[in-house]
PDB file of all heavy atoms in Angstrom:
ATOM      1  N   ILE A   1      -8.245  -8.157  -5.278  1.00  0.00           N
ATOM      2  CA  ILE A   1      -7.287  -7.602  -4.316  1.00  0.00           C
ATOM      3  C   ILE A   1      -6.092  -8.526  -4.108  1.00  0.00           C
ATOM      4  O   ILE A   1      -5.058  -8.095  -3.589  1.00  0.00           O
ATOM      5  CB  ILE A   1      -7.952  -7.308  -2.952  1.00  0.00           C
ATOM      6  CG1 ILE A   1      -8.588  -8.573  -2.370  1.00  0.00           C
ATOM      7  CG2 ILE A   1      -8.950  -6.165  -3.077  1.00  0.00           C
ATOM      8  CD1 ILE A   1      -9.038  -8.427  -0.930  1.00  0.00           C
ATOM      9  N   ASN A   2      -6.208  -9.776  -4.517  1.00  0.00           N
ATOM     10  CA  ASN A   2      -5.105 -10.721  -4.340  1.00  0.00           C
ATOM     11  C   ASN A   2      -4.214 -10.844  -5.576  1.00  0.00           C
ATOM     12  O   ASN A   2      -3.299 -11.669  -5.605  1.00  0.00           O
ATOM     13  CB  ASN A   2      -5.650 -12.093  -3.941  1.00  0.00           C
ATOM     14  CG  ASN A   2      -6.191 -12.090  -2.520  1.00  0.00           C
ATOM     15  OD1 ASN A   2      -5.513 -11.626  -1.597  1.00  0.00           O
ATOM     16  ND2 ASN A   2      -7.411 -12.570  -2.335  1.00  0.00           N
ATOM     17  N   GLN A   3      -4.459 -10.016  -6.584  1.00  0.00           N
ATOM     18  CA  GLN A   3      -3.607 -10.013  -7.767  1.00  0.00           C
ATOM     19  C   GLN A   3      -2.413  -9.084  -7.583  1.00  0.00           C
ATOM     20  O   GLN A   3      -2.434  -8.154  -6.766  1.00  0.00           O
ATOM     21  CB  GLN A   3      -4.418  -9.569  -8.992  1.00  0.00           C
ATOM     22  CG  GLN A   3      -5.473 -10.564  -9.436  1.00  0.00           C
ATOM     23  CD  GLN A   3      -6.393  -9.995 -10.500  1.00  0.00           C
ATOM     24  OE1 GLN A   3      -6.324  -8.817 -10.835  1.00  0.00           O
ATOM     25  NE2 GLN A   3      -7.271 -10.838 -11.024  1.00  0.00           N
ATOM     26  N   ASN A   4      -1.391  -9.317  -8.375  1.00  0.00           N
ATOM     27  CA  ASN A   4      -0.204  -8.469  -8.377  1.00  0.00           C
ATOM     28  C   ASN A   4      -0.532  -7.095  -8.968  1.00  0.00           C
ATOM     29  O   ASN A   4      -1.214  -7.005  -9.993  1.00  0.00           O
ATOM     30  CB  ASN A   4       0.890  -9.150  -9.204  1.00  0.00           C
ATOM     31  CG  ASN A   4       2.170  -8.336  -9.266  1.00  0.00           C
ATOM     32  OD1 ASN A   4       2.227  -7.322  -9.940  1.00  0.00           O
ATOM     33  ND2 ASN A   4       3.193  -8.790  -8.571  1.00  0.00           N
ATOM     34  N   VAL A   5      -0.062  -6.051  -8.310  1.00  0.00           N
ATOM     35  CA  VAL A   5      -0.287  -4.688  -8.820  1.00  0.00           C
ATOM     36  C   VAL A   5       1.042  -3.933  -8.882  1.00  0.00           C
ATOM     37  O   VAL A   5       1.128  -2.780  -8.481  1.00  0.00           O
ATOM     38  CB  VAL A   5      -1.328  -3.918  -7.968  1.00  0.00           C
ATOM     39  CG1 VAL A   5      -2.717  -4.473  -8.167  1.00  0.00           C
ATOM     40  CG2 VAL A   5      -0.964  -3.929  -6.496  1.00  0.00           C
ATOM     41  N   ASP A   6       2.040  -4.578  -9.404  1.00  0.00           N
ATOM     42  CA  ASP A   6       3.383  -3.993  -9.463  1.00  0.00           C
ATOM     43  C   ASP A   6       3.695  -3.316 -10.791  1.00  0.00           C
ATOM     44  O   ASP A   6       4.857  -2.986 -11.050  1.00  0.00           O
ATOM     45  CB  ASP A   6       4.440  -5.069  -9.200  1.00  0.00           C
ATOM     46  CG  ASP A   6       4.456  -5.516  -7.747  1.00  0.00           C
ATOM     47  OD1 ASP A   6       3.993  -4.729  -6.891  1.00  0.00           O
ATOM     48  OD2 ASP A   6       4.927  -6.625  -7.468  1.00  0.00           O
ATOM     49  N   HIS A   7       2.685  -3.111 -11.639  1.00  0.00           N
ATOM     50  CA  HIS A   7       2.950  -2.514 -12.952  1.00  0.00           C
ATOM     51  C   HIS A   7       2.004  -1.356 -13.236  1.00  0.00           C
ATOM     52  O   HIS A   7       1.156  -1.428 -14.147  1.00  0.00           O
ATOM     53  CB  HIS A   7       2.856  -3.589 -14.044  1.00  0.00           C
ATOM     54  CG  HIS A   7       3.841  -4.701 -13.860  1.00  0.00           C
ATOM     55  ND1 HIS A   7       3.575  -5.811 -13.082  1.00  0.00           N
ATOM     56  CD2 HIS A   7       5.108  -4.845 -14.314  1.00  0.00           C
ATOM     57  CE1 HIS A   7       4.637  -6.610 -13.086  1.00  0.00           C
ATOM     58  NE2 HIS A   7       5.581  -6.041 -13.826  1.00  0.00           N
ATOM     59  N   PRO A   8       2.120  -0.262 -12.481  1.00  0.00           N
ATOM     60  CA  PRO A   8       1.262   0.900 -12.731  1.00  0.00           C
ATOM     61  C   PRO A   8       1.591   1.529 -14.074  1.00  0.00           C
ATOM     62  O   PRO A   8       2.714   1.425 -14.577  1.00  0.00           O
ATOM     63  CB  PRO A   8       1.606   1.847 -11.573  1.00  0.00           C
ATOM     64  CG  PRO A   8       2.998   1.457 -11.166  1.00  0.00           C
ATOM     65  CD  PRO A   8       3.082  -0.024 -11.379  1.00  0.00           C
ATOM     66  N   VAL A   9       0.594   2.208 -14.667  1.00  0.00           N
ATOM     67  CA  VAL A   9       0.813   2.866 -15.950  1.00  0.00           C
ATOM     68  C   VAL A   9       0.622   4.382 -15.849  1.00  0.00           C
ATOM     69  O   VAL A   9       0.559   5.073 -16.872  1.00  0.00           O
ATOM     70  CB  VAL A   9      -0.108   2.277 -17.048  1.00  0.00           C
ATOM     71  CG1 VAL A   9       0.242   0.820 -17.306  1.00  0.00           C
ATOM     72  CG2 VAL A   9      -1.580   2.434 -16.701  1.00  0.00           C
ATOM     73  N   SER A  10       0.537   4.907 -14.634  1.00  0.00           N
ATOM     74  CA  SER A  10       0.506   6.355 -14.416  1.00  0.00           C
ATOM     75  C   SER A  10       1.128   6.642 -13.058  1.00  0.00           C
ATOM     76  O   SER A  10       1.148   5.783 -12.166  1.00  0.00           O
ATOM     77  CB  SER A  10      -0.935   6.897 -14.444  1.00  0.00           C
ATOM     78  OG  SER A  10      -1.668   6.463 -13.310  1.00  0.00           O
ATOM     79  N   LEU A  11       1.644   7.858 -12.902  1.00  0.00           N
ATOM     80  CA  LEU A  11       2.214   8.242 -11.609  1.00  0.00           C
ATOM     81  C   LEU A  11       1.132   8.276 -10.538  1.00  0.00           C
ATOM     82  O   LEU A  11       1.385   7.921  -9.378  1.00  0.00           O
ATOM     83  CB  LEU A  11       2.904   9.600 -11.712  1.00  0.00           C
ATOM     84  CG  LEU A  11       3.589  10.070 -10.418  1.00  0.00           C
ATOM     85  CD1 LEU A  11       4.716   9.122 -10.028  1.00  0.00           C
ATOM     86  CD2 LEU A  11       4.109  11.491 -10.568  1.00  0.00           C
ATOM     87  N   TYR A  12      -0.071   8.691 -10.913  1.00  0.00           N
ATOM     88  CA  TYR A  12      -1.187   8.673  -9.960  1.00  0.00           C
ATOM     89  C   TYR A  12      -1.360   7.279  -9.372  1.00  0.00           C
ATOM     90  O   TYR A  12      -1.454   7.105  -8.158  1.00  0.00           O
ATOM     91  CB  TYR A  12      -2.470   9.127 -10.653  1.00  0.00           C
ATOM     92  CG  TYR A  12      -3.717   8.902  -9.830  1.00  0.00           C
ATOM     93  CD1 TYR A  12      -3.948   9.639  -8.671  1.00  0.00           C
ATOM     94  CD2 TYR A  12      -4.662   7.953 -10.215  1.00  0.00           C
ATOM     95  CE1 TYR A  12      -5.100   9.428  -7.919  1.00  0.00           C
ATOM     96  CE2 TYR A  12      -5.804   7.745  -9.462  1.00  0.00           C
ATOM     97  CZ  TYR A  12      -6.018   8.479  -8.319  1.00  0.00           C
ATOM     98  OH  TYR A  12      -7.148   8.265  -7.563  1.00  0.00           O
ATOM     99  N   ALA A  13      -1.392   6.262 -10.237  1.00  0.00           N
ATOM    100  CA  ALA A  13      -1.543   4.888  -9.774  1.00  0.00           C
ATOM    101  C   ALA A  13      -0.369   4.481  -8.885  1.00  0.00           C
ATOM    102  O   ALA A  13      -0.553   3.796  -7.870  1.00  0.00           O
ATOM    103  CB  ALA A  13      -1.659   3.945 -10.963  1.00  0.00           C
ATOM    104  N   ALA A  14       0.832   4.894  -9.255  1.00  0.00           N
ATOM    105  CA  ALA A  14       2.013   4.549  -8.460  1.00  0.00           C
ATOM    106  C   ALA A  14       1.921   5.130  -7.056  1.00  0.00           C
ATOM    107  O   ALA A  14       2.315   4.483  -6.070  1.00  0.00           O
ATOM    108  CB  ALA A  14       3.280   5.032  -9.160  1.00  0.00           C
ATOM    109  N   THR A  15       1.397   6.356  -6.929  1.00  0.00           N
ATOM    110  CA  THR A  15       1.282   6.949  -5.594  1.00  0.00           C
ATOM    111  C   THR A  15       0.242   6.210  -4.758  1.00  0.00           C
ATOM    112  O   THR A  15       0.399   6.069  -3.539  1.00  0.00           O
ATOM    113  CB  THR A  15       0.921   8.445  -5.664  1.00  0.00           C
ATOM    114  OG1 THR A  15      -0.364   8.634  -6.269  1.00  0.00           O
ATOM    115  CG2 THR A  15       1.974   9.232  -6.421  1.00  0.00           C
ATOM    116  N   LYS A  16      -0.820   5.730  -5.403  1.00  0.00           N
ATOM    117  CA  LYS A  16      -1.839   4.996  -4.652  1.00  0.00           C
ATOM    118  C   LYS A  16      -1.312   3.636  -4.199  1.00  0.00           C
ATOM    119  O   LYS A  16      -1.612   3.180  -3.091  1.00  0.00           O
ATOM    120  CB  LYS A  16      -3.109   4.846  -5.504  1.00  0.00           C
ATOM    121  CG  LYS A  16      -3.863   6.150  -5.698  1.00  0.00           C
ATOM    122  CD  LYS A  16      -4.327   6.724  -4.366  1.00  0.00           C
ATOM    123  CE  LYS A  16      -5.204   7.932  -4.509  1.00  0.00           C
ATOM    124  NZ  LYS A  16      -5.692   8.448  -3.202  1.00  0.00           N
ATOM    125  N   LYS A  17      -0.546   2.962  -5.045  1.00  0.00           N
ATOM    126  CA  LYS A  17       0.094   1.709  -4.631  1.00  0.00           C
ATOM    127  C   LYS A  17       1.068   1.987  -3.477  1.00  0.00           C
ATOM    128  O   LYS A  17       1.142   1.224  -2.506  1.00  0.00           O
ATOM    129  CB  LYS A  17       0.834   1.080  -5.816  1.00  0.00           C
ATOM    130  CG  LYS A  17       1.753  -0.094  -5.454  1.00  0.00           C
ATOM    131  CD  LYS A  17       0.993  -1.285  -4.893  1.00  0.00           C
ATOM    132  CE  LYS A  17       1.932  -2.390  -4.405  1.00  0.00           C
ATOM    133  NZ  LYS A  17       2.724  -3.035  -5.447  1.00  0.00           N
ATOM    134  N   ALA A  18       1.798   3.096  -3.568  1.00  0.00           N
ATOM    135  CA  ALA A  18       2.716   3.470  -2.494  1.00  0.00           C
ATOM    136  C   ALA A  18       1.968   3.681  -1.177  1.00  0.00           C
ATOM    137  O   ALA A  18       2.450   3.297  -0.102  1.00  0.00           O
ATOM    138  CB  ALA A  18       3.492   4.729  -2.874  1.00  0.00           C
ATOM    139  N   ASN A  19       0.789   4.282  -1.248  1.00  0.00           N
ATOM    140  CA  ASN A  19      -0.021   4.475  -0.039  1.00  0.00           C
ATOM    141  C   ASN A  19      -0.350   3.149   0.626  1.00  0.00           C
ATOM    142  O   ASN A  19      -0.291   3.022   1.860  1.00  0.00           O
ATOM    143  CB  ASN A  19      -1.313   5.210  -0.368  1.00  0.00           C
ATOM    144  CG  ASN A  19      -1.138   6.675  -0.680  1.00  0.00           C
ATOM    145  OD1 ASN A  19      -2.059   7.334  -1.134  1.00  0.00           O
ATOM    146  ND2 ASN A  19       0.060   7.220  -0.483  1.00  0.00           N
ATOM    147  N   GLU A  20      -0.699   2.150  -0.180  1.00  0.00           N
ATOM    148  CA  GLU A  20      -1.019   0.839   0.379  1.00  0.00           C
ATOM    149  C   GLU A  20       0.196   0.240   1.089  1.00  0.00           C
ATOM    150  O   GLU A  20       0.075  -0.360   2.170  1.00  0.00           O
ATOM    151  CB  GLU A  20      -1.511  -0.089  -0.730  1.00  0.00           C
ATOM    152  CG  GLU A  20      -2.816   0.358  -1.360  1.00  0.00           C
ATOM    153  CD  GLU A  20      -3.257  -0.501  -2.540  1.00  0.00           C
ATOM    154  OE1 GLU A  20      -2.535  -1.466  -2.869  1.00  0.00           O
ATOM    155  OE2 GLU A  20      -4.329  -0.222  -3.114  1.00  0.00           O
ATOM    156  N   LEU A  21       1.368   0.402   0.497  1.00  0.00           N
ATOM    157  CA  LEU A  21       2.594  -0.126   1.102  1.00  0.00           C
ATOM    158  C   LEU A  21       2.966   0.648   2.369  1.00  0.00           C
ATOM    159  O   LEU A  21       3.383   0.050   3.373  1.00  0.00           O
ATOM    160  CB  LEU A  21       3.743  -0.050   0.093  1.00  0.00           C
ATOM    161  CG  LEU A  21       3.594  -0.887  -1.176  1.00  0.00           C
ATOM    162  CD1 LEU A  21       4.738  -0.598  -2.137  1.00  0.00           C
ATOM    163  CD2 LEU A  21       3.545  -2.367  -0.842  1.00  0.00           C
ATOM    164  N   MET A  22       2.813   1.957   2.330  1.00  0.00           N
ATOM    165  CA  MET A  22       3.117   2.774   3.505  1.00  0.00           C
ATOM    166  C   MET A  22       2.178   2.411   4.658  1.00  0.00           C
ATOM    167  O   MET A  22       2.605   2.286   5.813  1.00  0.00           O
ATOM    168  CB  MET A  22       2.985   4.257   3.160  1.00  0.00           C
ATOM    169  CG  MET A  22       4.024   4.746   2.150  1.00  0.00           C
ATOM    170  SD  MET A  22       3.549   6.303   1.349  1.00  0.00           S
ATOM    171  CE  MET A  22       3.772   7.458   2.718  1.00  0.00           C
ATOM    172  N   ALA A  23       0.897   2.232   4.335  1.00  0.00           N
ATOM    173  CA  ALA A  23      -0.069   1.862   5.374  1.00  0.00           C
ATOM    174  C   ALA A  23       0.286   0.508   5.973  1.00  0.00           C
ATOM    175  O   ALA A  23       0.206   0.317   7.201  1.00  0.00           O
ATOM    176  CB  ALA A  23      -1.482   1.831   4.786  1.00  0.00           C
ATOM    177  N   HIS A  24       0.681  -0.434   5.126  1.00  0.00           N
ATOM    178  CA  HIS A  24       1.041  -1.757   5.660  1.00  0.00           C
ATOM    179  C   HIS A  24       2.219  -1.660   6.621  1.00  0.00           C
ATOM    180  O   HIS A  24       2.250  -2.333   7.667  1.00  0.00           O
ATOM    181  CB  HIS A  24       1.377  -2.737   4.535  1.00  0.00           C
ATOM    182  CG  HIS A  24       1.615  -4.123   5.045  1.00  0.00           C
ATOM    183  ND1 HIS A  24       2.857  -4.559   5.484  1.00  0.00           N
ATOM    184  CD2 HIS A  24       0.768  -5.163   5.243  1.00  0.00           C
ATOM    185  CE1 HIS A  24       2.761  -5.811   5.903  1.00  0.00           C
ATOM    186  NE2 HIS A  24       1.502  -6.195   5.770  1.00  0.00           N
ATOM    187  N   THR A  25       3.181  -0.831   6.285  1.00  0.00           N
ATOM    188  CA  THR A  25       4.341  -0.662   7.170  1.00  0.00           C
ATOM    189  C   THR A  25       3.911  -0.175   8.548  1.00  0.00           C
ATOM    190  O   THR A  25       4.376  -0.688   9.576  1.00  0.00           O
ATOM    191  CB  THR A  25       5.335   0.333   6.548  1.00  0.00           C
ATOM    192  OG1 THR A  25       5.734  -0.140   5.266  1.00  0.00           O
ATOM    193  CG2 THR A  25       6.568   0.475   7.427  1.00  0.00           C
ATOM    194  N   TYR A  26       3.007   0.799   8.591  1.00  0.00           N
ATOM    195  CA  TYR A  26       2.545   1.321   9.888  1.00  0.00           C
ATOM    196  C   TYR A  26       1.665   0.298  10.606  1.00  0.00           C
ATOM    197  O   TYR A  26       1.705   0.209  11.837  1.00  0.00           O
ATOM    198  CB  TYR A  26       1.817   2.656   9.686  1.00  0.00           C
ATOM    199  CG  TYR A  26       2.764   3.828   9.704  1.00  0.00           C
ATOM    200  CD1 TYR A  26       3.712   3.993   8.703  1.00  0.00           C
ATOM    201  CD2 TYR A  26       2.744   4.760  10.745  1.00  0.00           C
ATOM    202  CE1 TYR A  26       4.605   5.056   8.714  1.00  0.00           C
ATOM    203  CE2 TYR A  26       3.627   5.831  10.776  1.00  0.00           C
ATOM    204  CZ  TYR A  26       4.555   5.969   9.760  1.00  0.00           C
ATOM    205  OH  TYR A  26       5.446   7.019   9.790  1.00  0.00           O
ATOM    206  N   SER A  27       0.894  -0.459   9.866  1.00  0.00           N
ATOM    207  CA  SER A  27       0.096  -1.515  10.496  1.00  0.00           C
ATOM    208  C   SER A  27       1.005  -2.582  11.108  1.00  0.00           C
ATOM    209  O   SER A  27       0.738  -3.093  12.194  1.00  0.00           O
ATOM    210  CB  SER A  27      -0.844  -2.155   9.463  1.00  0.00           C
ATOM    211  OG  SER A  27      -1.802  -1.233   9.012  1.00  0.00           O
ATOM    212  N   HIS A  28       2.082  -2.892  10.407  1.00  0.00           N
ATOM    213  CA  HIS A  28       3.022  -3.904  10.894  1.00  0.00           C
ATOM    214  C   HIS A  28       3.839  -3.392  12.079  1.00  0.00           C
ATOM    215  O   HIS A  28       3.954  -4.078  13.111  1.00  0.00           O
ATOM    216  CB  HIS A  28       3.961  -4.321   9.762  1.00  0.00           C
ATOM    217  CG  HIS A  28       5.071  -5.212  10.196  1.00  0.00           C
ATOM    218  ND1 HIS A  28       4.886  -6.552  10.493  1.00  0.00           N
ATOM    219  CD2 HIS A  28       6.391  -4.960  10.419  1.00  0.00           C
ATOM    220  CE1 HIS A  28       6.035  -7.085  10.869  1.00  0.00           C
ATOM    221  NE2 HIS A  28       6.968  -6.140  10.833  1.00  0.00           N
ATOM    222  N   LEU A  29       4.403  -2.205  11.963  1.00  0.00           N
ATOM    223  CA  LEU A  29       5.306  -1.694  12.999  1.00  0.00           C
ATOM    224  C   LEU A  29       4.570  -1.241  14.250  1.00  0.00           C
ATOM    225  O   LEU A  29       5.041  -1.464  15.373  1.00  0.00           O
ATOM    226  CB  LEU A  29       6.119  -0.520  12.443  1.00  0.00           C
ATOM    227  CG  LEU A  29       7.168  -0.836  11.383  1.00  0.00           C
ATOM    228  CD1 LEU A  29       7.780   0.461  10.851  1.00  0.00           C
ATOM    229  CD2 LEU A  29       8.261  -1.735  11.966  1.00  0.00           C
ATOM    230  N   TYR A  30       3.427  -0.585  14.070  1.00  0.00           N
ATOM    231  CA  TYR A  30       2.745   0.071  15.188  1.00  0.00           C
ATOM    232  C   TYR A  30       1.376  -0.530  15.479  1.00  0.00           C
ATOM    233  O   TYR A  30       0.664  -0.023  16.362  1.00  0.00           O
ATOM    234  CB  TYR A  30       2.608   1.570  14.904  1.00  0.00           C
ATOM    235  CG  TYR A  30       3.919   2.220  14.526  1.00  0.00           C
ATOM    236  CD1 TYR A  30       4.120   2.718  13.242  1.00  0.00           C
ATOM    237  CD2 TYR A  30       4.973   2.308  15.435  1.00  0.00           C
ATOM    238  CE1 TYR A  30       5.331   3.304  12.879  1.00  0.00           C
ATOM    239  CE2 TYR A  30       6.180   2.894  15.084  1.00  0.00           C
ATOM    240  CZ  TYR A  30       6.351   3.382  13.805  1.00  0.00           C
ATOM    241  OH  TYR A  30       7.557   3.957  13.449  1.00  0.00           O
ATOM    242  N   ARG A  31       1.017  -1.586  14.774  1.00  0.00           N
ATOM    243  CA  ARG A  31      -0.302  -2.226  14.928  1.00  0.00           C
ATOM    244  C   ARG A  31      -1.435  -1.227  14.724  1.00  0.00           C
ATOM    245  O   ARG A  31      -2.497  -1.326  15.352  1.00  0.00           O
ATOM    246  CB  ARG A  31      -0.432  -2.924  16.285  1.00  0.00           C
ATOM    247  CG  ARG A  31       0.725  -3.811  16.667  1.00  0.00           C
ATOM    248  CD  ARG A  31       1.190  -4.729  15.548  1.00  0.00           C
ATOM    249  NE  ARG A  31       0.239  -5.807  15.241  1.00  0.00           N
ATOM    250  CZ  ARG A  31       0.435  -6.700  14.266  1.00  0.00           C
ATOM    251  NH1 ARG A  31       1.516  -6.627  13.493  1.00  0.00           N
ATOM    252  NH2 ARG A  31      -0.470  -7.635  14.058  1.00  0.00           N
ATOM    253  N   LEU A  32      -1.220  -0.260  13.854  1.00  0.00           N
ATOM    254  CA  LEU A  32      -2.247   0.705  13.495  1.00  0.00           C
ATOM    255  C   LEU A  32      -3.190   0.054  12.492  1.00  0.00           C
ATOM    256  O   LEU A  32      -2.778  -0.293  11.385  1.00  0.00           O
ATOM    257  CB  LEU A  32      -1.613   1.957  12.875  1.00  0.00           C
ATOM    258  CG  LEU A  32      -2.579   2.953  12.207  1.00  0.00           C
ATOM    259  CD1 LEU A  32      -3.492   3.593  13.248  1.00  0.00           C
ATOM    260  CD2 LEU A  32      -1.801   4.018  11.422  1.00  0.00           C
ATOM    261  N   PRO A  33      -4.462  -0.138  12.829  1.00  0.00           N
ATOM    262  CA  PRO A  33      -5.394  -0.725  11.862  1.00  0.00           C
ATOM    263  C   PRO A  33      -5.628   0.212  10.677  1.00  0.00           C
ATOM    264  O   PRO A  33      -5.995   1.383  10.866  1.00  0.00           O
ATOM    265  CB  PRO A  33      -6.682  -0.917  12.674  1.00  0.00           C
ATOM    266  CG  PRO A  33      -6.233  -0.943  14.104  1.00  0.00           C
ATOM    267  CD  PRO A  33      -5.090   0.028  14.163  1.00  0.00           C
ATOM    268  N   THR A  34      -5.375  -0.276   9.474  1.00  0.00           N
ATOM    269  CA  THR A  34      -5.584   0.524   8.270  1.00  0.00           C
ATOM    270  C   THR A  34      -6.326  -0.298   7.219  1.00  0.00           C
ATOM    271  O   THR A  34      -6.103  -1.505   7.098  1.00  0.00           O
ATOM    272  CB  THR A  34      -4.256   1.009   7.657  1.00  0.00           C
ATOM    273  OG1 THR A  34      -3.515  -0.111   7.158  1.00  0.00           O
ATOM    274  CG2 THR A  34      -3.407   1.762   8.677  1.00  0.00           C
ATOM    275  N   THR A  35      -7.189   0.371   6.472  1.00  0.00           N
ATOM    276  CA  THR A  35      -7.919  -0.269   5.372  1.00  0.00           C
ATOM    277  C   THR A  35      -7.877   0.628   4.151  1.00  0.00           C
ATOM    278  O   THR A  35      -8.274   1.799   4.217  1.00  0.00           O
ATOM    279  CB  THR A  35      -9.385  -0.554   5.751  1.00  0.00           C
ATOM    280  OG1 THR A  35      -9.436  -1.384   6.908  1.00  0.00           O
ATOM    281  CG2 THR A  35     -10.100  -1.261   4.598  1.00  0.00           C
ATOM    282  N   GLY A  36      -7.410   0.080   3.039  1.00  0.00           N
ATOM    283  CA  GLY A  36      -7.370   0.811   1.779  1.00  0.00           C
ATOM    284  C   GLY A  36      -8.536   0.412   0.891  1.00  0.00           C
ATOM    285  O   GLY A  36      -8.886  -0.769   0.795  1.00  0.00           O
TER     286      GLY A  36
END
């Protein structure tokens, strides 16, 4: 989980990475606890 994941090889993977980033934004801005 501590490795870089900035090189997806499918759109499916890209959307899942995007979900992790979107969740982090809400955890940061609104202190919403999220776990991926």
